[in-house]
């Protein structure tokens, strides 16, 4: 199903903005962005942009969840980042003027705003607060990328699977029971986060279930032994 235009979302009243790089913009700047941007609803499984294409603007998630992944030569996905409401997409390629190094695909239905390149760069040049927020985001991306490389080189797959579950919990949080991860994630996607084969991911998740670390609630995963899972992942909670 094709994407469909959504009613324009006013940035001044957007709850997601308070969690984004635009959190400190003045009212007149927010009004200018609201007038220039477009808003679109995407169904589950739709592409926002594709690896190898060139950016024409910045994407801001108003609601929903999106994965960013890279395709290897053998066609296998490697998920490089998970995003949620308040996050922005495509900023590194937009700033560098290069092609997208990953594709963005919705995990569930999403409402996404698009700010044209010239509008975004204008605000970036004139607003020191926005520039600082973006620099912090880029620094965080670099730290996470370095951490990912170290994990793939040094950690066993069981450790990486445990860390993948903790990553889901960190990004999307827990439901009201304080144990169920608030996202439905395919086992293939979990494998692509951990950097392993889907069959291996399924086997390790089954072992974790049998050992009482997790259980399944429909298609969602409930963490039963959080401290033990942190220990297994060899990370600090």
């Amino acid at each position: 199903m094709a994407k469909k235009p959504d009613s324009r979302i006013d940035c001044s009243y957007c709850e997601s903005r308070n969690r984004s790089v635009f959190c400190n913009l003045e009212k007149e700047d927010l009004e200018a962005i609201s007038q220039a941007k477009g808003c679109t609803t995407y169904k589950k499984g739709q592409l926002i942009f594709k690896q190898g294409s060139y950016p024409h603007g910045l994407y801001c998630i108003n609601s929903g969840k999106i994965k960013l992944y890279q395709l290897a030569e053998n066609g296998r996905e490697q998920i490089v980042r998970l995003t949620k409401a308040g996050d922005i997409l495509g900023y590194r390629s937009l700033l560098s003027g290069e092609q997208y190094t990953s594709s963005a695909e919705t995990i569930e239905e999403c409402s996404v705003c698009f700010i044209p390149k010239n509008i975004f760069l204008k605000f970036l040049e004139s607003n020191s607060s926005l520039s600082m927020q973006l620099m912090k985001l880029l620094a965080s991306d670099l730290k996470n990328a370095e951490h990912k490389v170290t994990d793939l080189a040094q950690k066993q797959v069981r450790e990486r699977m445990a860390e993948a579950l903790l990553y889901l919990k960190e990004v999307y949080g827990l439901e009201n029971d304080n144990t169920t991860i608030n996202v439905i994630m395919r086992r293939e996607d979990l494998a692509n986060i951990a950097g392993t084969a889907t069959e291996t991911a399924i086997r390790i998740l089954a072992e974790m279930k049998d050992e009482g670390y997790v259980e399944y609630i429909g298609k969602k995963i409930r963490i039963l032994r959080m401290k033990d899972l942190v220990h297994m992942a060899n990370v600090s909670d």
Side-chain angles (χ1 to χ4, degrees):
M1 183 179 294
K3 63 184 181 180
K4 57 181 181 179
D6 199 2
S7 56
R8 188 178 300 276
I9 301 167
D10 191 328
C11 294
S12 298
Y13 302 101
C14 174
E15 295 181 2
S16 301
R17 179 180 61 83
N18 294 324
R19 303 190 295 271
S20 78
V21 296
F22 301 105
C23 58
N24 295 322
L25 288 186
E26 300 294 335
K27 182 178 179 180
E28 56 268 25
D29 291 335
L30 293 174
E31 290 176 349
I33 290 178
S34 288
Q35 291 299 315
K37 74 179 184 179
C39 302
T40 302
T41 296
Y42 294 84
K43 298 298 183 183
K44 177 182 177 180
Q46 283 191 286
L47 283 176
I48 309 297
F49 55 78
K50 188 175 182 179
Q51 180 178 342
S53 60
Y54 282 93
H56 298 287
L58 185 76
Y59 294 91
C60 309
I61 305 175
N62 176 258
S63 65
K65 303 175 177 71
I66 295 171
K67 65 178 181 180
L68 281 86
Y69 65 89
Q70 295 178 349
L71 277 180
E73 290 184 2
N74 60 6
R76 178 177 168 180
E77 291 183 8
Q78 175 65 56
I79 293 179
V80 295
R81 188 160 67 100
L82 297 174
T83 60
K84 60 186 183 302
D87 289 341
I88 59 174
L89 307 174
Y91 47 92
R92 291 194 303 275
S93 296
L94 185 64
L95 292 173
S96 66
E98 298 174 343
Q99 296 170 310
Y100 289 123
T101 57
S102 59
S103 298
E105 181 182 316
T106 57
I107 297 173
E108 61 186 29
E109 183 171 297
C110 296
S111 174
V112 181
C113 299
F114 177 80
I115 304 173
K117 178 178 179 179
N118 62 321
I119 299 295
F120 175 69
L121 293 181
K122 174 185 175 182
F123 280 104
L124 190 61
E125 291 174 356
S126 61
N127 192 291
S128 59
S129 174
L130 179 59
S131 298
M132 181 59 67
Q133 291 289 337
L134 199 61
M135 282 192 289
K136 289 181 179 179
L137 187 57
L138 290 167
S140 177
D141 286 347
L142 180 58
K143 181 188 72 173
N144 292 335
E146 292 172 345
H147 179 75
K148 184 73 173 180
V149 171
T150 302
D151 276 359
L152 291 174
Q154 299 181 358
K155 287 191 174 183
Q156 300 296 320
V157 65
R158 186 175 169 90
E159 293 176 293
R160 300 202 306 270
M161 281 302 302
E163 189 169 2
L165 294 178
L166 294 174
Y167 176 52
L168 291 183
K169 172 241 179 188
E170 177 186 351
V171 176
Y172 297 127
L174 300 173
E175 297 189 351
N176 292 334
D177 62 6
N178 206 35
T179 57
T180 304
I181 301 174
N182 187 29
V183 66
I184 295 175
M185 186 68 64
R186 299 182 307 165
R187 301 300 182 261
E188 180 182 0
D189 285 338
L190 272 172
N192 291 335
I193 294 172
T196 189
T198 302
E199 295 78 7
T200 302
I202 292 172
R203 174 178 58 79
I204 292 176
L205 285 170
E207 292 174 357
M208 289 181 180
K209 178 178 179 294
D210 291 341
E211 295 165 8
Y213 289 94
V214 302
E215 69 176 354
Y216 303 135
I217 306 298
K219 295 183 178 180
K220 292 187 175 182
I221 297 176
R222 174 180 288 173
I223 300 176
L224 302 177
R225 295 164 54 187
M226 181 67 73
K227 289 184 178 179
D228 292 333
L229 195 67
V230 171
H231 184 265
M232 183 192 299
N234 193 20
V235 297
S236 299
D237 192 19

